[in-house]
């Protein structure tokens, strides 16, 4: 009976996942929310999570953020079981959510988690990048400076995404000349190109 019950539940999850992905594809927000709500309790009480579960959760949160359903996406983030905090993919996507929304509560929770865990070296840069994005989103100049210092100390230089983030707050403050000067003085050109693209996009929009 227990095996039959589990098989039935897994079949319902599988069908629910397919429906959610289809409605994301169709941009049917109300159906995405209602279907996920129908499986939410069982989903978060699974105990054992597969990559497909994390894929679904990440897809739903990102979709809701794109649709500006901030409160609903934050509610889903808050419902994530703490045992999943040991999964680096979960840590990164919650940090990404925090940076997108300026969600201070989730950000603080994840920074505590990362300080307590031994994060593999290959993920350090990705985590720092999301932390940097959060500080830019929340206009925390001290946080921005410290994040850039940490990146430079560990990796010696910036990559394209990090350099683009460096230019973003300057453009938000309409410091065009300073942005151009930084792009001209920073090396290599393959990295600064992203900054020039950001400046061009800004000027076109203005």
């Amino acid at each position: 009976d227990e095996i039959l019950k589990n098989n039935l539940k897994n079949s319902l999850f599988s069908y629910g996942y397919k429906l959610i992905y289809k409605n994301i594809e169709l941009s049917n927000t109300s159906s995405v929310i209602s279907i996920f709500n129908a499986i939410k309790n069982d989903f978060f009480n699974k105990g054992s999570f597969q990559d497909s579960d994390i894929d679904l959760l990440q897809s739903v949160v990102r979709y809701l953020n794109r649709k500006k359903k901030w409160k609903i996406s934050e509610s889903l983030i808050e419902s994530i079981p703490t045992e999943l905090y040991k999964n680096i993919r979960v840590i990164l996507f919650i940090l990404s959510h925090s940076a997108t929304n300026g969600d201070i509560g989730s950000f603080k929770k994840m920074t505590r988690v990362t300080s307590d865990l031994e994060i593999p070296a290959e993920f350090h840069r990705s985590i720092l990048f999301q932390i940097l994005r959060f500080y830019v989103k929340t206009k925390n100049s001290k946080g921005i400076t410290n994040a850039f210092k940490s990146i430079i100390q560990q990796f010696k230089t910036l990559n394209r995404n990090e350099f683009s983030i460096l230019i973003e707050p300057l453009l938000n403050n309409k410091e065009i000349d300073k942005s151009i000067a930084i792009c001209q003085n920073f090396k290599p050109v393959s990295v600064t190109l992203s900054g020039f693209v950001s400046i061009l996009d800004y000027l076109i929009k203005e």
Side-chain angles (χ1 to χ4, degrees):
D1 286 348
E2 191 64 31
I3 293 174
L4 181 61
K5 183 179 178 182
N6 287 334
N7 287 340
L8 179 60
K9 185 176 287 188
N10 288 334
S11 295
L12 289 173
F13 273 130
S14 179
Y15 182 62
Y17 287 16
K18 288 176 182 177
L19 281 178
I20 289 171
Y21 281 124
K22 187 62 179 179
N23 280 282
I24 287 175
E25 182 184 329
L26 295 172
S27 199
N28 191 340
T29 305
S30 60
S31 291
V32 171
I33 294 170
S34 62
I35 296 167
F36 190 85
N37 281 341
I39 66 170
K40 185 171 71 172
N41 289 338
D42 286 331
F43 178 87
F44 285 125
N45 289 320
K46 286 185 75 172
S48 175
F49 293 86
Q50 308 300 317
D51 283 344
S52 59
D53 301 319
I54 296 170
D55 289 339
L56 179 82
L57 186 58
Q58 182 170 279
S59 296
V60 171
V61 169
R62 285 179 173 173
Y63 174 78
L64 292 173
N65 284 340
R66 286 200 306 274
K67 295 298 182 179
K68 299 182 180 180
K69 300 292 184 180
W70 314 125
K71 289 185 178 179
I72 299 174
S73 66
E74 286 176 15
S75 174
L76 292 187
I77 291 291
E78 289 171 3
S79 300
I80 294 175
T82 54
E83 62 262 29
L84 274 177
Y85 293 169
K86 296 177 183 178
N87 186 302
I88 190 65
R89 286 186 61 205
V90 172
I91 291 171
L92 283 170
F93 104 70
I94 295 179
L95 281 174
S96 177
H97 156 85
S98 302
T100 299
N101 292 10
D103 184 346
I104 296 174
S106 294
F107 176 77
K108 286 183 176 179
K109 188 182 292 182
M110 284 304 100
T111 51
R112 286 196 299 270
V113 167
T114 55
S115 65
D116 292 338
L117 287 178
E118 191 171 328
I119 303 294
E122 63 265 31
F123 295 107
H124 287 184
R125 190 162 204 156
S126 297
I127 287 174
L128 282 171
F129 178 65
Q130 297 303 336
I131 289 172
L132 176 60
R133 285 185 61 231
F134 173 82
Y135 285 136
V136 170
K137 175 71 176 181
T138 55
K139 299 180 180 179
N140 184 328
S141 56
K142 184 178 179 181
I144 293 170
T145 300
N146 289 337
F148 273 121
K149 281 181 179 178
S150 295
I151 292 169
I152 295 296
Q153 285 171 358
Q154 290 190 46
F155 306 104
K156 309 306 178 188
T157 188
L158 303 179
N159 63 27
R160 291 181 184 182
N161 291 332
E162 293 154 357
F163 188 80
S164 183
I165 290 286
L166 171 64
I167 298 300
E168 185 178 323
L170 297 176
L171 295 177
N172 289 340
N173 291 330
K174 300 185 177 182
E175 298 180 68
I176 310 300
D177 292 340
K178 188 173 182 180
S179 300
I180 293 172
I182 290 175
C183 289
Q184 289 174 331
N185 293 327
F186 198 90
K187 296 293 186 290
V189 174
S190 59
V191 170
T192 60
L193 183 61
S194 64
F196 281 117
V197 169
S198 295
I199 294 169
L200 184 60
D201 285 344
Y202 174 84
L203 292 174
I204 290 172
K205 290 175 183 177
E206 287 294 298

